[in-house]
Amino acid sequence: MMRAAHVLLDGEPKILKDDLALGFSGIEHEAALRAALNALQAELAQKFPLALVESLLRYTRAGVTLRSRYAEDELSKAIDRGVSQYVILGAGLDSFAHRRRDLAGVLRVFEVDYPATQHWKQARLRELHIEPPPHLTFIPLDFEKQSVAEALHAGGYHAGEPAFFSWLGVTWFLTEETIFQTLQQIASTAPSSEIVFEYPVAEALLDEEERQVLAVIKALGAARGEPVRTLFEPAKLAARVRELGFAHVWDSGPEEVNARYFAGRTDGLRFPNIGHLLKAQV
Ligand SMILES: C[S@@+](CC[C@H](N)C(=O)[O-])C[C@H]1O[C@@H](n2cnc3c(N)ncnc32)[C@H](O)[C@@H]1O
């Protein structure tokens, strides 16, 4: 819904032009999206100050679109050096495989998520009369209970070849133990494999407004039974990721991300200080 809202509400250039987002979100048309966004804003404004709610919604549109854009930009570089497998961990309603049908001969895409989420998405695709593209495989899995490596193997992933992994908007909701176990498995994939993930930074590193925005996100997560579990200090996280066996680690904070992607915008859109992006290469 936030990716669709970005296309509808934010200025040009779009950070991510996801024209499938509206349909995938389960919302029928633009007017219904506007109504749903207004209802969400009104509901949140009953509990939190309106200015804070507006900041949260703007930050969410920027964060959600940018994390996909960053992953897709880095994936494109990986494809240029011959990587032919893309694993989207916690894919949710990611539309990459559908937007990029042109890559069917070049890239195999694996969407990993809870079975229930995948069933919902597949039913929605049928309602929209969208055929899943031939290069897409769904891999059902619960990160807290199953090994990504085993599930991928069962789904036809080629363990001997490098892959690009993205893990966007997911680590927030996992335990630290599961996050590092999963990263450990990815560190054991073929040399030159890469992962890009996005994570929230520890509260101690945030200013007052950012802490308030995080408090709203936490309250929303708790209310829908999906509590925010894990936040990181970037330097410590990068050191742990290296210890797991990744040869190269690049951490991008809001300053770097805003300079690379949001410079010169006049619509106030910018990447939230709450988030960081980490790329690591085996
Ligand atoms: C906030 S959504 C992000 C979706 C997508 N990656 C994006 O950037 O929009 C989080 C996704 O992680 C999935 N997820 C959360 N915990 C999970 C778990 N333990 N096992 C499998 N999937 C999980 C959810 O089902 C959901 O699709």
Side-chain angles (χ1 to χ4, degrees):
M1 189 167 129
M2 287 299 156
R3 283 192 284 269
H6 172 63
V7 174
L8 184 66
L9 302 178
D10 296 319
E12 297 288 344
K14 301 297 178 195
I15 301 295
L16 185 81
K17 204 162 182 319
D18 185 350
D19 291 324
L20 293 171
L22 180 61
F24 277 25
S25 74
I27 294 174
E28 294 304 327
H29 45 71
E30 222 175 88
L33 174 63
R34 280 187 198 279
L37 290 166
N38 288 340
L40 175 64
Q41 179 161 315
E43 186 193 327
L44 292 173
Q46 285 180 358
K47 296 186 202 133
F48 306 100
L50 182 60
L52 183 63
V53 171
E54 284 172 350
S55 296
L56 170 77
L57 294 176
R58 204 169 38 245
Y59 279 146
T60 307
R61 294 199 302 277
V64 163
T65 51
L66 188 278
R67 68 190 185 203
S68 292
R69 167 73 181 277
Y70 176 76
E72 291 178 22
D73 284 355
E74 298 307 307
L75 168 66
S76 162
K77 293 181 201 166
I79 294 172
D80 287 347
R81 56 181 174 76
V83 170
S84 61
Q85 305 185 95
Y86 178 29
V87 182
I88 312 179
L89 299 169
L93 299 178
D94 191 296
S95 63
F96 175 81
H98 303 266
R99 277 184 283 117
R100 296 302 311 272
R101 283 175 185 262
D102 59 304
L103 292 174
V106 177
L107 191 69
R108 296 163 71 227
V109 182
F110 300 87
E111 290 194 6
V112 179
D113 210 304
Y114 282 132
T117 308
Q118 296 191 330
H119 289 151
W120 190 94
K121 185 176 189 176
Q122 286 160 342
R124 186 64 191 151
L125 289 173
R126 283 193 295 275
E127 281 165 15
L128 295 168
H129 306 292
I130 295 178
E131 277 285 312
H135 61 318
L136 172 63
T137 305
F138 287 97
I139 309 268
L141 164 130
D142 179 343
F143 291 115
E144 300 286 359
K145 296 188 178 143
Q146 289 156 281
S147 132
V148 170
E150 280 169 23
L152 282 174
H153 179 69
Y157 172 87
H158 294 164
E161 293 170 19
F164 187 90
F165 295 79
S166 69
W167 207 12
L168 309 173
V170 191
T171 64
W172 298 64
F173 311 109
L174 301 178
T175 59
E176 194 172 308
E177 193 189 353
T178 297
I179 295 168
F180 287 119
Q181 277 172 1
T182 305
L183 288 172
Q184 177 80 74
Q185 291 168 37
I186 290 159
S188 309
T189 58
S192 108
S193 290
E194 281 180 346
I195 180 161
V196 161
F197 67 98
E198 167 258 357
Y199 65 91
V201 297
E203 270 162 294
L205 303 181
L206 302 179
D207 69 20
E208 189 45 38
E209 192 208 341
E210 292 152 8
R211 262 197 287 274
Q212 286 177 13
V213 169
L214 182 62
V216 183
I217 295 174
K218 282 182 160 182
L220 287 172
R224 60 164 199 266
E226 202 172 35
V228 173
R229 287 204 164 93
T230 306
L231 302 97
F232 290 108
E233 288 188 22
K236 285 188 188 159
L237 175 63
R240 286 280 305 267
V241 171
R242 275 193 201 93
E243 279 166 24
L244 291 173
F246 286 95
H248 304 286
V249 176
W250 299 265
D251 189 88
S252 302
E255 266 181 36
E256 192 181 334
V257 173
N258 280 317
R260 178 170 165 189
Y261 287 103
F262 292 87
R265 292 193 75 92
T266 53
D267 55 3
L269 209 63
R270 66 185 176 88
F271 192 65
N273 284 1
I274 295 167
H276 267 230
L277 291 157
L278 189 142
K279 181 171 104 159
Q281 189 179 64
V282 177

